[in-house]
Amino acid sequence: MFTSGIVASTAFLQSVPHQHTIIGIRNSLYNSLHTSQYAYKHKNFSCKRQTKILYSISADKSSDTDIVTEEDDANNNNNNNNNNVVTGVTLKMAFDSSPVWGVADLSETKSERFTSPESLDMVHRLRRESDAVLVGRGTVERDDCSLTVRRVELKDGKSQPVRVVVDPSLRITNEKEKDYTLLKDELPTIVYHLQSENSKATPSEHVTLVGMKQSSYADGSRSSISPTQVIKDLKRRGLQHIMVEGGPATARSFLEARAVDRAILVRAPIVFEIPISAEMDENTLKRAGLQLIGTTTMGDDTAEYYTKDGEPWPSDDELSMWP
């Protein structure tokens, strides 16, 4: 069972709504990709990068102010003209092309995105299609992310997605020296924490703190916060489609709980010099009940699409039509 904790604003609860470019790194292996083929065939591919690249798990940096052109956004809107109502959990992750599924490069010092602009546009379209965007505490600390829709226009009557942070120890709200964007920009944010943790002060009236009981698995091991209970609480608040955007530990917890209904995994055609592993692989996805149903290209990147038990993709025809 879950228990609602400190609620920062009753009004908020009533109103919660239901350039970068990595420089031209191409590989001939990608030229032969087809949307019906599994594309991960480049484990030995490597490259020397001339730009400093680490990563941005949330695909969200303060310098990201790019907006697609009206023509591009019209094309993107065509991708959203299906009438399917999407619910459940959609996971999005990005990796390099190394066998360890690298999400970061320890050899670099500056955190930047490493995927293509087309992949970044997809992320913002997915945010637009979501009622809530969820990340772990570490992603907020690394990226100071806003998790808002910026590169594409919001649909008529659609609000920005509610930001959700899983932060068991409430560190982001108790760090006096930090002033994170999503705690001060006056957009709705929910922070899930363990009941034993107390916040010294509610950051703003737009932030809701929710205390959760520590959960236990059948084998006796304990989980910090149950993804299943977080999902139940969000649905109780009218948030039916949840995008999980990172980081790796948060993604693994949702996969291990078999709480992911579909996933988009983006693979960039680079290999980090000293990769930090996501600590997941094909077996992780299989245990989560996810099956690969196809691939597409996004600029220089390859996107892999997974659904639970091979269920259909939200779009009625091509995978790239959603989001």
Side-chain angles (χ1 to χ4, degrees):
M1 294 291 294
F2 61 84
T3 303
S4 295
I6 305 170
V7 178
S9 169
T10 302
F12 163 69
L13 288 177
Q14 295 173 342
S15 63
V16 169
H18 51 320
Q19 202 117 173
H20 89 109
T21 301
I22 183 166
I23 301 176
I25 307 173
R26 289 186 176 271
N27 186 280
S28 60
L29 290 176
Y30 279 83
N31 295 332
S32 62
L33 292 175
H34 186 274
T35 58
S36 64
Q37 296 176 330
Y38 184 67
Y40 189 40
K41 299 178 180 178
H42 47 279
K43 290 184 178 180
N44 295 323
F45 171 68
S46 63
C47 63
K48 294 294 184 179
R49 289 160 294 125
Q50 301 301 317
T51 55
K52 283 187 176 294
I53 300 165
L54 183 60
Y55 73 132
S56 174
I57 279 180
S58 66
D60 199 4
K61 299 298 292 180
S62 58
S63 61
D64 174 26
T65 57
D66 302 332
I67 300 293
V68 295
T69 65
E70 291 183 5
E71 179 180 0
D72 288 339
D73 194 43
N75 292 334
N76 290 337
N77 281 330
N78 289 336
N79 291 348
N80 292 279
N81 286 334
N82 64 79
N83 295 320
N84 295 336
V85 177
V86 180
T87 61
V89 175
T90 302
L91 170 67
K92 171 267 166 186
M93 291 286 289
F95 311 101
D96 74 344
S97 295
S98 68
V100 300
W101 295 28
V103 296
D105 192 343
L106 284 176
S107 69
E108 304 292 356
T109 58
K110 185 179 180 181
S111 176
E112 297 288 352
R113 292 180 300 270
F114 58 88
T115 54
S116 69
E118 292 84 353
S119 294
L120 184 58
D121 290 342
M122 178 276 294
V123 172
H124 283 256
R125 293 198 303 273
L126 182 53
R127 288 179 183 175
R128 179 172 63 182
E129 294 297 312
S130 303
D131 298 318
V133 179
L134 183 148
V135 297
R137 179 196 66 220
T139 299
V140 176
E141 292 178 328
R142 281 185 296 267
D143 295 349
D144 189 19
C145 44
S146 70
L147 303 177
T148 55
V149 178
R150 298 185 304 283
R151 291 178 67 96
V152 297
E153 296 292 334
L154 285 169
K155 295 180 179 179
D156 291 342
K158 177 75 173 179
S159 301
Q160 288 285 352
V162 175
R163 288 83 55 87
V164 179
V165 183
V166 178
D167 182 7
S169 61
L170 272 181
R171 198 157 76 188
I172 64 169
T173 63
N174 290 332
E175 290 178 321
K176 293 182 178 180
E177 68 279 9
K178 300 292 185 180
D179 194 16
Y180 295 111
T181 298
L182 53 68
L183 297 180
K184 66 179 181 180
D185 63 6
E186 299 187 353
L187 293 173
T189 301
I190 301 174
V191 181
Y192 288 95
H193 63 94
L194 291 177
Q195 287 181 334
S196 58
E197 300 296 334
N198 294 312
S199 177
K200 296 178 181 179
T202 302
S204 82
E205 63 179 8
H206 302 280
V207 177
T208 299
L209 306 181
V210 182
M212 308 288 281
K213 290 182 178 180
Q214 190 173 39
S215 59
S216 299
Y217 293 115
D219 62 3
S221 62
R222 298 182 70 82
S223 171
S224 180
I225 291 178
S226 166
T228 302
Q229 297 305 325
V230 168
I231 294 169
K232 286 182 178 179
D233 188 63
L234 290 173
K235 287 185 176 181
R236 183 179 66 83
R237 298 168 188 273
L239 306 174
Q240 301 300 320
H241 181 216
I242 304 157
M243 174 187 179
V244 176
E245 195 166 334
T250 300
R252 289 195 305 272
S253 70
F254 274 75
L255 289 168
E256 290 166 1
R258 294 178 63 90
V260 176
D261 296 288
R262 66 196 67 83
I264 304 175
L265 305 186
V266 177
R267 299 189 187 277
I270 63 171
V271 171
F272 292 136
E273 186 175 342
I274 307 177
I276 297 177
S277 173
E279 298 183 26
M280 64 177 68
D281 55 21
E282 289 90 349
N283 290 327
T284 308
L285 301 174
K286 289 179 181 178
R287 290 193 298 271
L290 296 175
Q291 298 178 17
L292 178 70
I293 61 172
T295 65
T296 65
T297 56
M298 293 182 182
D300 293 331
D301 303 335
T302 301
E304 301 171 357
Y305 299 79
Y306 294 79
T307 60
K308 183 173 286 186
D309 301 322
E311 288 293 316
W313 197 246
S315 56
D316 295 326
D317 34 42
E318 297 181 11
L319 295 173
S320 60
M321 296 296 286
W322 189 90

